[in-house]
Amino acid sequence: MTGNTNVVVIGGGYAGVMAANRLTRRDDVAVTLINPRPDFVHRVRLHQLVGGSDDAVVAYRDVLAEGVRLVVGSAARIDADGRGVTLADGGTLGYDYLVYAVGSGSAEPGVPGAAEFAHPIATLEEARRLRPVVAAAPATAPVTVVGAGPTGIETAAELAEQGRRVTLVCGGVLGPYLHPRARRSVAKRLAGLGATVLDGPGTKVVAVTRDAVRLADGRELPSKVTVWTAGFGVPDLAARSGLSTDAAGRLLTDETLTSVDDARIVAAGDSAAPSGLPPRMSCLNAMPLGARAADTVLSRLAGERPENLRQLVYAQCLSLGRSAGVYQLANRSDVAVRLYVGGGLGARLKELACEAIPGHLSEEARKPGSFNLHRIPGGAAKRRRLLRAHRSGAPAAAGRAA
């Protein structure tokens, strides 16, 4: 007997695909995945798309289980009471359970001129629009990358390695997550590529024009192409549907990733806020969250109590062009430690990580339930301590960055 329980997954990124694949463990569950695009976006390669070294897409047939129905479209509203999803084209899909995995995208910049003259890069469409703009610009034209998180660093390095005149405007610290040792390594690599790094409090961007970027300290930088990577936001689908969200718009859930409003809705990935204390946005966290969300649904179908969330991954890997990278290790509080791997080996580790992601998804498609959620000892206990500190208003014990 098949198809007795309908599960709809909104969002076909890392978390959504992992959840959809894992849900096929039961043959009495019919899984439908709603996604705006017909292909899977390998988001960690979007900076490579801009630089021209990768197209950042993977065919769904290579990562999605055969039994999952793919609906190409956008969700306009969730009707929790009626257990249905209204699509942008007017169609509707009913569900017994819903996995909310809409991911994240570019945040509204809130800086005069940024929306008109700067190019975001958080989505496939944005990166595809930026690629011809970069290609059409003369090699000597000044390129400004705003934002010094992973996307900004990787984009700046990618373009600088091609000989572009790149300035990376940090608006604060270069690579805020990184340990100072790794940060110095990144700065040295960028300098070696010819990129200029502007950091410190005076480097916050206060205005963008067609040909320049203005900083808080009064400097005005000439800029033929301005790339905006400062900040991510989540879609407002949950709030628009009357569901409880945190201040950033992520769906509020308990520790089983179940919506605080409705036991039939679970969340995963960047758009989930378990107990108001969401893990760091990253693909490394998205896949375990997707697997955990699926397990929550499967547990309920089996009449079992779902498990609570465990603390997730503790690392960050960056590419610094095609020939160098940084793999930053962290402690169990997700605080960067002194240990990192740089240079050519760092680049190889980054590439291995990028290649492994579709591999994990395709393996889960072939053998649902194979993705291991228990790789980090003590994760559950650590998560409980973080929650206690969060609820008491005290700072969580971050551990010593050694």
Side-chain angles (χ1 to χ4, degrees):
M1 184 163 52
T2 61
N4 286 345
T5 301
N6 292 312
V7 182
V8 170
V9 180
I10 304 178
Y14 300 119
V17 170
M18 177 59 75
N21 289 345
R22 201 171 184 91
L23 286 163
T24 63
R25 294 179 74 176
R26 290 182 58 134
D27 63 7
D28 60 348
V29 172
V31 184
T32 299
L33 178 69
I34 304 171
N35 193 65
R37 310 169 192 87
D39 294 306
F40 174 80
V41 178
H42 201 0
R43 188 171 174 181
V44 296
R45 291 198 189 275
L46 286 177
H47 65 285
Q48 290 183 248
L49 191 163
V50 173
S53 64
D54 200 280
D55 61 7
V57 296
V58 178
Y60 268 120
R61 65 176 176 272
D62 294 332
V63 294
L64 192 61
E66 289 184 4
V68 177
R69 175 193 175 201
L70 175 64
V71 172
V72 179
S74 298
R77 189 177 183 278
I78 300 166
D79 177 8
D81 292 335
R83 293 184 194 166
V85 178
T86 302
L87 303 178
D89 65 6
T92 59
L93 290 172
Y95 66 82
D96 296 302
Y97 285 91
L98 177 75
V99 178
Y100 186 84
V102 298
S104 61
S106 298
E108 290 294 329
V111 171
E116 294 84 0
F117 303 115
H119 301 269
I121 190 182
T123 68
L124 178 65
E125 291 76 16
E126 291 169 347
R128 282 177 170 171
R129 286 193 293 269
L130 177 56
R131 172 59 189 155
V133 173
V134 171
T140 57
V143 176
T144 303
V145 179
V146 180
T151 304
I153 290 172
E154 291 185 322
T155 303
E158 199 78 19
L159 297 179
E161 192 176 55
Q162 297 176 3
R164 296 278 176 181
R165 288 179 53 202
V166 177
T167 298
L168 177 61
V169 178
C170 300
V173 177
L174 172 68
Y177 180 84
L178 300 173
H179 187 276
R181 294 181 73 240
R183 186 175 299 126
R184 288 192 291 271
S185 177
V186 170
K188 182 178 179 180
R189 168 63 177 172
L190 289 170
L193 292 173
T196 299
V197 176
L198 301 179
D199 60 0
T203 61
K204 182 178 179 181
V205 174
V206 296
V208 179
T209 66
R210 188 180 303 277
D211 299 308
V213 170
R214 191 174 303 122
L215 306 184
D217 61 10
R219 280 179 289 179
E220 187 163 294
L221 311 175
S223 184
K224 178 67 174 178
V225 180
T226 301
V227 184
W228 195 273
T229 73
F232 288 93
V234 299
D236 65 350
L237 177 61
R240 202 165 65 234
S241 302
L243 298 170
S244 297
T245 65
D246 70 0
R250 290 171 288 220
L251 184 69
L252 281 175
T253 76
D254 64 14
E255 285 296 286
T256 71
L257 299 178
T258 303
S259 165
V260 298
D261 302 310
D262 192 319
R264 298 284 181 144
I265 299 175
V266 299
D270 290 352
S271 55
S275 303
L277 187 63
R280 175 166 52 91
M281 289 184 178
S282 70
C283 67
L284 291 176
N285 281 337
M287 290 193 299
L289 286 168
R292 177 62 66 199
D295 285 354
T296 290
V297 174
L298 293 171
S299 293
R300 290 214 164 90
L301 291 176
E304 300 169 354
R305 182 175 180 174
E307 290 189 36
N308 286 344
L309 182 68
R310 293 171 179 264
Q311 191 70 5
L312 302 177
V313 177
Y314 313 95
Q316 185 178 86
C317 50
L318 305 173
S319 65
L320 300 173
R322 297 299 87 216
S323 58
V326 164
Y327 191 91
Q328 171 70 73
L329 280 297
N331 62 24
R332 289 184 180 181
S333 297
D334 201 16
V335 175
V337 299
R338 290 174 57 86
L339 182 61
Y340 75 94
V341 179
L345 181 55
R348 289 193 290 276
L349 290 174
K350 167 70 175 183
E351 183 59 26
L352 286 172
C354 290
E355 292 173 355
I357 294 165
H360 286 311
L361 296 175
S362 60
E363 179 69 11
E364 188 71 18
R366 291 192 302 270
K367 300 177 182 178
S370 62
F371 186 76
N372 186 358
L373 274 170
H374 302 283
R375 289 177 292 182
I376 301 176
K382 181 63 191 179
R383 177 72 183 175
R384 287 194 295 270
R385 289 195 292 273
L386 288 172
L387 284 171
R388 284 197 295 270
H390 175 67
R391 288 164 180 163
S392 69
R400 187 174 180 178

